Amino acid sequence: AASVAGHKAAEFPFPFALSALLNLTAAAIARMVELVRVNCFASPAREVSVYTPADSKDALWLCLVGLLQGFEIACSNKALEFLSVAKRTMVLSTSLLFMISVSVPAGLEQMSCGKSVAAMLLTCGGCLQGLSSWRHGQDDADDTGSLYGYAIAVSSMISSALRWGLLQHILQHCKPDSYLKHMTKMQMIAFMMPVTCLVCLTLAATFERAALAHVTIHVAQDVTLIASLVSVMVASELYFVQLTSAVAMSVAAQLHNIPIILSGVFLLGDTIHILSAIGYAASLCGALIYASERRKHEGHEVTQEIELHGFLDADDSRKSSRNASDDEMRKKSRRPSADKSALDTFNDSPDSKTADSFA
């Protein structure tokens, strides 16, 4: 923030190389945390080992997530070459619509009128925030090639929507016998981050060849600290998607600008334009509406599940009663046959003949 505001020069102005270092360090930290957990806190009889090999298909899914994340970072950073920050903010504010376009056809999210209104408020709020920056002339990027910038930004949003949709499918709908079902979040990070690092490292080698010469001890310390926070953040995001949905994650992402702006106001003395304030208010209202609609939908699902269980229990009870009645009827139908067999046996016995001669 200080670099953007003009207080001092950027210490490491290489976004692709920085992303590669962050992802590689975050993967190493996740691996170490998982090793400590397994060796010190986990029960060997019940926990999956950190080195247990995953099925090739499961590993492929996680590698695909890492690849999509690397492509998303690359497109998001590359868009700034053609678009101003304000324009990119306005374009990326429509990411929620792309997330809905992926999640609803895939059966990962059910839409309603309230959720549609919430999505429109969140999108309009993001557009107003970007428009406020644009009106103030805070970004002086050249407009040449804006069409390419818009296409790259849209590609970034498509990659993000596919990535979060795939993660929701992995976390909520994978088979019970799948290795993914037993993986911890740190294990997933250790699988995904190296692939993302490889993508960003390839881009850094292509566009930022001088980046390695600027890596210093201070930069390495900052990268380690930030990577630790990134590991915690990504693990929290995975838990959040597992408990909610990819669309809910996108809604939360739309709100993350609010605490950033507030911290800038109180810590750096920034001012908020009226359009920004309206945009933040619209985003907050949209998030509250979405949370309310989601709570209603979950409550309705719980009620239907309870009713279904009650119906199934009553049906099982009726079947049990019917089976008991059928068993009783079979027993009664077998009794005359048994009595007749006993009478025939008695008639053929010597006692029966003696009784006949006596008569």
Side-chain angles (χ1 to χ4, degrees):
S3 173
V4 174
H7 297 294
K8 63 178 182 179
E11 184 177 3
F12 193 73
F14 305 101
F16 292 141
L18 180 60
S19 299
L21 292 174
L22 286 175
N23 282 276
L24 183 61
T25 308
I29 292 173
R31 179 69 69 179
M32 289 188 293
V33 170
E34 188 63 20
L35 282 173
V36 171
R37 185 191 69 84
V38 170
N39 294 325
C40 300
F41 302 102
S43 174
R46 300 182 61 182
E47 294 289 338
V48 178
S49 174
V50 68
Y51 293 113
T52 300
D55 183 74
S56 58
K57 186 177 179 180
D58 296 339
L60 183 62
W61 284 121
L62 292 178
C63 289
L64 180 58
V65 171
L67 184 64
L68 289 172
Q69 184 174 2
F71 188 72
E72 173 190 349
I73 293 173
C75 291
S76 179
N77 291 331
K78 189 65 176 176
L80 287 174
E81 184 177 336
F82 304 98
L83 298 175
S84 64
V85 174
K87 287 183 178 180
R88 193 192 67 162
T89 301
M90 287 190 290
V91 174
L92 295 181
S93 64
T94 61
S95 60
L96 180 60
L97 302 180
F98 286 87
M99 192 72 69
I100 292 174
S101 300
V102 171
S103 298
V104 174
L108 300 175
E109 183 80 16
Q110 294 184 359
M111 289 300 295
S112 62
C113 293
K115 289 183 179 181
S116 300
V117 172
M120 295 306 299
L121 285 174
L122 287 162
T123 302
C124 292
C127 291
L128 287 174
Q129 295 167 29
L131 183 61
S132 173
S133 299
W134 193 10
R135 288 283 300 275
H136 272 71
Q138 295 178 359
D139 307 295
D140 298 323
D142 187 8
D143 289 336
T144 304
S146 294
L147 183 61
Y148 294 103
Y150 291 136
I152 293 172
V154 169
S155 300
S156 174
M157 290 185 290
I158 293 175
S159 300
S160 177
L162 293 174
R163 177 170 68 93
W164 286 115
L166 181 58
L167 277 173
Q168 182 181 351
H169 176 76
I170 290 173
L171 294 170
Q172 296 182 359
H173 303 288
C174 62
K175 296 180 180 180
D177 58 345
S178 173
Y179 180 75
L180 298 173
K181 197 73 173 180
H182 305 284
M183 290 184 73
T184 64
K185 303 303 178 285
M186 288 299 173
Q187 284 179 319
M188 289 185 175
I189 292 173
F191 264 94
M192 296 183 297
M193 292 297 191
V195 181
T196 305
C197 171
L198 183 61
V199 175
C200 295
L201 194 61
T202 303
L203 294 169
T206 304
F207 300 103
E208 302 170 351
R209 297 182 180 180
L212 292 178
H214 291 76
V215 177
T216 62
I217 298 298
H218 186 62
V219 170
Q221 292 175 350
D222 291 343
V223 166
T224 303
L225 176 60
I226 297 173
S228 303
L229 299 176
V230 167
S231 301
V232 177
M233 182 189 70
V234 174
S236 302
E237 288 175 348
L238 294 176
Y239 276 115
F240 187 84
V241 173
Q242 183 177 6
L243 296 175
T244 57
S245 66
V247 175
M249 182 64 210
S250 183
V251 171
Q254 294 280 1
L255 296 177
H256 85 286
N257 284 331
I258 296 179
I260 293 176
I261 295 300
L262 292 179
S263 64
V265 171
F266 291 107
L267 299 178
L268 302 177
D270 295 340
T271 57
I272 300 179
H273 191 259
I274 184 63
L275 290 179
S276 295
I278 296 174
Y280 299 139
S283 298
L284 185 59
C285 291
L288 293 176
I289 293 174
Y290 177 83
S292 176
E293 287 294 318
R294 185 170 181 83
R295 177 183 293 182
K296 291 179 182 178
H297 178 69
E298 290 179 349
H300 183 63
E301 285 185 344
V302 171
T303 303
Q304 287 183 338
E305 186 175 356
I306 292 175
E307 292 177 353
L308 179 61
H309 283 305
F311 175 77
L312 292 177
D313 291 340
D315 188 53
D316 291 338
S317 177
R318 287 194 297 268
K319 288 182 179 178
S320 300
S321 302
R322 191 182 300 112
N323 291 334
S325 301
D326 293 341
D327 293 338
E328 186 67 25
M329 291 296 294
R330 291 192 195 97
K331 291 179 180 179
K332 290 182 179 180
S333 63
R334 283 196 297 266
R335 284 176 187 173
S337 302
D339 295 340
K340 183 177 180 181
S341 300
L343 182 60
D344 294 340
T345 304
F346 177 76
N347 291 333
D348 295 337
S349 64
D351 294 338
S352 176
K353 295 179 181 180
T354 303
D356 292 339
S357 60
F358 177 77

